[in-house]
Amino acid sequence: MSAMTSLVEPAPYPAAYPQAAVRHRRHMPSWLKLFLVGAALWAATVLITFATLNVNLVPTVILLGSFLVPVTFVAFAFARADGVLTPQRIFTAFVVGGVLGVLGASVLESALLRQPSGLGFVGVGLIEEAVKLGALWLLSRHLTRYTVRDGMVLGASVGFGFAALESAGYAFTSLFTPSGLSLLNVVETEALRGALAPVGHGLWTAILGGVLFATAARARNGRPRPRGSVFGWFLVVSALHAMWDAAGIVAVWLTLLLTGTASQLRMIELGQAPGVTQTQVHLYTILNWSLLAADAAVGVVLLWLRWRRQATARVAHAR
């Protein structure tokens, strides 16, 4: 009888399964777990390095801090991979695209920007966005599908790879000061660049990737080409990049314009660094961060508009 009952009555597990599935869906995303664990490991490494003064740990601090946010994006992208936008392709864009980008930028900047000038920021923006776009084009020439979404993800992967390697370089150079090695400089550099990474290289190259793949989707041969719209958006993104790099200098001049005294301006004309007041320091900080925030906001809006445009076009095509 008990055997017959067990065959007729539903087992308790299927009834409980939906609740288990709901609990499973509420689990923390894997990319967020990776970020939290990585941040904890980086913080622990920093504390132990400060406590023990073991310089052998400095490379670990630099690598963990520089790659934490970019690798978190890669993990986020892995969860949305498919038959065309595979994890291998995303990882290749991150590593190979990032390396090609920093190598190309180093060669071109050393050859073309030898003399410092006010246009240096423009040159850096044009060169770095060009090499990242070139790396993305090289890695995506033979895909079987081109969508704005795929272009944004692969573009962001290239950009984050570039950002990780660039941040590691900046962190390494900040270690050396006239008074010796400074781990505090490394930590401050990595914390700042890590916080700003999502609205920097990853954002800019994601915009270009979406535009490049959109032109490929409309082309007869279905291949990405540097057409007029790509060039126009390249100039827009390069301008955002240049404005981002120039924010500190612009903030200095705005601070002097608003609060500079006659003696400070005279010292600047003589090529000397003037003393600054505490009020000017605070004003400079506010202006610098305001310029960076405005630049980031413009980039985010442009990315969102490109995404909404392709989503609207897809819905219209489905109808």
Side-chain angles (χ1 to χ4, degrees):
M1 183 67 180
S2 59
M4 182 66 70
T5 303
S6 65
L7 291 175
V8 175
E9 295 180 355
Y13 177 74
Y17 177 76
Q19 296 179 358
V22 170
R23 287 196 299 269
H24 178 72
R25 288 196 297 269
R26 291 177 180 175
H27 283 176
M28 186 182 299
S30 58
W31 64 266
L32 183 56
K33 289 181 181 178
L34 176 65
F35 174 78
L36 294 176
V37 171
L41 290 174
W42 179 73
T45 307
V46 169
L47 292 175
I48 292 174
T49 306
F50 271 116
T52 63
L53 300 179
N54 183 359
V55 294
N56 290 331
L57 291 177
V58 172
T60 306
V61 174
I62 292 176
L63 291 176
L64 280 175
S66 301
F67 280 81
L68 175 59
V69 173
V71 170
T72 298
F73 168 79
V74 172
F76 173 82
F78 277 0
R80 287 148 183 82
D82 54 31
V84 175
L85 196 67
T86 61
Q88 180 182 1
R89 184 163 282 123
I90 294 170
F91 184 74
T92 300
F94 177 77
V95 177
V96 178
V99 172
L100 290 177
V102 294
L103 292 179
S106 179
V107 171
L108 292 175
E109 288 172 3
S110 63
L112 302 177
L113 303 177
R114 293 181 179 179
Q115 298 297 330
S117 66
L119 297 177
F121 296 118
V122 176
V124 169
L126 290 171
I127 289 173
E128 294 189 356
E129 294 309 317
V131 295
K132 289 185 295 177
L133 179 59
L136 175 62
W137 171 82
L138 184 66
L139 295 171
S140 61
R141 289 175 300 163
H142 303 296
L143 298 182
T144 58
R145 178 192 72 198
Y146 292 95
T147 66
V148 172
R149 168 187 173 271
D150 293 352
M152 287 181 174
V153 173
L154 286 181
S157 299
V158 172
F160 273 112
F162 186 100
L165 296 169
E166 185 182 60
S167 295
Y170 277 111
F172 177 73
T173 55
S174 70
L175 177 66
F176 303 96
T177 68
S179 56
L181 301 181
S182 174
L183 180 61
L184 182 60
N185 280 1
V186 173
V187 173
E188 290 177 346
T189 300
E190 293 200 318
L192 179 59
R193 293 187 66 85
L196 297 177
V199 291
H201 286 289
L203 172 64
W204 301 325
T205 319
I207 295 173
L208 287 180
V211 176
L212 181 66
F213 278 35
T215 60
R218 295 193 299 266
R220 291 182 179 179
N221 59 357
R223 290 290 181 265
R225 292 288 186 274
R227 294 177 174 83
S229 60
V230 176
F231 181 72
W233 278 99
F234 163 72
L235 294 179
V236 171
V237 169
S238 298
L240 288 176
H241 189 154
M243 291 169 58
W244 180 276
D245 290 345
I249 300 297
V250 174
V252 168
W253 285 108
L254 287 176
T255 300
L256 291 173
L257 180 65
L258 296 173
T259 63
T261 63
S263 61
Q264 287 177 325
L265 297 177
R266 192 177 306 112
M267 291 184 67
I268 292 175
E269 292 177 356
L270 296 174
Q272 300 176 0
V276 296
T277 65
Q278 200 65 26
T279 300
Q280 288 177 323
V281 172
H282 293 320
L283 179 60
Y284 163 79
T285 303
I286 293 173
L287 290 173
N288 187 32
W289 281 99
S290 297
L291 290 171
L292 292 177
D295 191 284
V298 171
V300 171
V301 169
L302 290 177
L303 182 70
W304 180 80
L305 289 175
R306 292 296 307 177
W307 177 260
R308 290 295 302 168
R309 181 178 178 181
Q310 70 88 27
T312 303
R314 185 171 56 191
V315 171
H317 179 73
R319 292 178 180 176

